[in-house]
Amino acid sequence: MKSAIVLGAGIVGVATAIHLQRRGWTVALIDRKEPGRETSYGNAGIIQSEALRPHPMPHGWDELAKIATGQTNDVRYRLSALPHHLGPLLRYWWHSFPARHARVSAVYAQIIACAAPEHEHLIREAGAANLIRRNGYRVLHRDQAAFEADVAAADALREAYGVKFGIMTSSDLQQAEPSLVDTGIGGLHWLEPWTASDPGELVSAYARLFTRLGGCILRGDARSLSEINGGGWSVATNDGRIEAEAAVVALGPWSPGLLKRFGYRFPMVRKRGYHRHYADGSRLDLPLHDAANGYVLAPMTKGMRIATGAELAAPGGKPDVTQLTRAEQAARKLLDLGRPVELEPWLGTRPCMPDMLPVLGRAPRQRGLWLHFGHGAQGFTLGPTTGRLVAELMSGEKPFVDISPYCPERY
Ligand SMILES: Cc1cc2nc3c(=O)[nH]c(=O)nc-3n(C[C@H](O)[C@H](O)[C@H](O)COP(=O)(O)OP(=O)(O)OC[C@H]3O[C@@H](n4cnc5c(N)ncnc54)[C@H](O)[C@@H]3O)c2cc1C
């Protein structure tokens, strides 16, 4: 029987572990925390079947000027952090030219299209349907030009991929979400995405499915990973050292750090995000993206969750809650938000690769080492799909989509 150690129990590692276990592997899933307690816990919880084109880096001078002068809440940077980001950002900028972005999107659309069906298998087997809504999410606009641009982009997606959305007037929004006291000039309703009321709990439910299938979850530090002379991999856990034929690095934003030890330099654009819950106020029915203010307001088990846009911070840099504060001020004008639940906001990092595609495949220089990370702003969406792809690849099956664009060698 083949054996594997999967390092990292976020959505990506848990899904990989399940798909390997199903294919007859003996799998140990290792994390220093409970499953689904980092990035996969803190996101906006949207299974984004409409995100068929990954986020490019803005190229327009007006957008860049807004970022540079701090006029947008979508993206924020600290000058002192820029040297850490310069290399990956330049590559991201290069890949974001329209023709290159179109090529990347054509590839990306193939895996996004599988995202909801792949989650569906797991949701059903894990008995987690109570955590999922299948009614989409909404976008609120305040600026006519931005609204029209959004509709034009949505129309293009409808033509290319048959994506379904509705255009909402301000009074449509008011009717759909009576607790909103401001509905801007209306917005869009993406009809097909699914939303989770507790993303971390969904990952926990998948992790319980993995153990029911016979998998084993252990606490341990991935940094103890070492190659065994003569073949195989070993890692230290709280229950002692364990060994397996293969190891999968699924450590999300921590993956490049570990891989340096094995001689790899993966460039990553680290887009930090924050969230905080608010309770005892009004509640929305569906998540709402406030486009002009760059945040998502999502109804979650713990309350209304505000999830912020991207901050380019230095690794380990101090939290800067400017975006969250601005988002909270804007949200308080939309509805009665209530009181913050947590004393301190949560923060995490979207692990984005410069070409906007995750890394999936065999490590080029070590036998039995597999790489699976870099899902950027859609990892919660994509984990089950790419988990299946990596498990197919490791098991010698033909992956159900062409995975050559995701190969680690491109870096
Ligand atoms: C604010 C925000 C909003 C987002 N919204 C969405 C959304 O709506 N939809 C969407 O699809 N995506 C969204 N994302 C992106 C998504 O959350 C990530 O792409 C995804 O969670 C990445 O999953 P992962 O499993 O790769 O990483 P993680 O969930 O971070 O998992 C990595 C795991 O590795 C473990 N680990 C790290 N180092 C070690 C070590 N040394 N030893 C042992 N274990 C270790 C961690 O504890 C962690 O459990 C959002 C992200 C943010 C920040």
Side-chain angles (χ1 to χ4, degrees), residues 25 150 222 273 296 379:
W25 290 69
D150 208 13
V296 172

Side-chain angles (χ1 to χ4, degrees), residues 10-12 31-32 39-40 43-44 46 220-222 252 376-381:
I11 184 73
V12 170
D31 204 297
R32 57 188 172 195
T39 333
S40 301
N43 54 63
I46 308 177
D221 189 341
Q378 271 95 38
F380 185 63
T381 302

Side-chain angles (χ1 to χ4, degrees), residues 16-163:
T16 312
I18 291 173
H19 282 289
L20 283 171
Q21 189 74 32
R22 272 188 186 146
R23 284 168 176 74
W25 290 69
T26 301
V27 185
L29 179 59
I30 312 297
D31 204 297
R32 57 188 172 195
K33 295 188 171 175
E34 289 286 313
R37 287 297 163 268
E38 289 283 1
T39 333
S40 301
Y41 160 77
N43 54 63
I46 308 177
I47 297 174
Q48 286 191 267
S49 44
E50 92 297 353
L52 294 136
R53 295 178 173 154
H55 292 299
M57 184 169 165
H59 267 222
W61 287 113
D62 48 342
E63 281 173 280
L64 289 173
K66 276 189 189 162
I67 296 171
T69 54
Q71 287 177 60
T72 167
N73 207 32
D74 287 327
V75 184
R76 186 176 162 78
Y77 70 95
R78 275 183 260 177
L79 259 187
S80 58
L82 278 188
H84 295 279
H85 292 277
L86 213 52
L89 273 182
L90 279 174
R91 293 171 82 157
Y92 184 21
W93 181 76
W94 189 84
H95 285 287
S96 298
F97 275 91
R100 293 188 190 105
H101 182 247
R103 281 198 294 276
V104 166
S105 298
V107 167
Y108 198 64
Q110 293 178 348
I111 53 172
I112 288 283
C114 306
E118 288 300 327
H119 266 283
E120 179 62 20
H121 295 307
L122 301 187
I123 290 165
R124 213 178 307 134
E125 272 189 81
N130 60 318
L131 297 170
I132 299 293
R133 296 275 312 272
R134 295 158 204 264
N135 306 72
Y137 76 96
R138 302 189 177 97
V139 184
L140 181 148
H141 278 285
R142 296 165 189 283
D143 172 82
Q144 192 60 34
F147 190 5
E148 284 168 17
D150 208 13
V151 172
D155 268 331
L157 286 181
R158 176 163 56 193
E159 267 173 44
Y161 303 106
V163 171

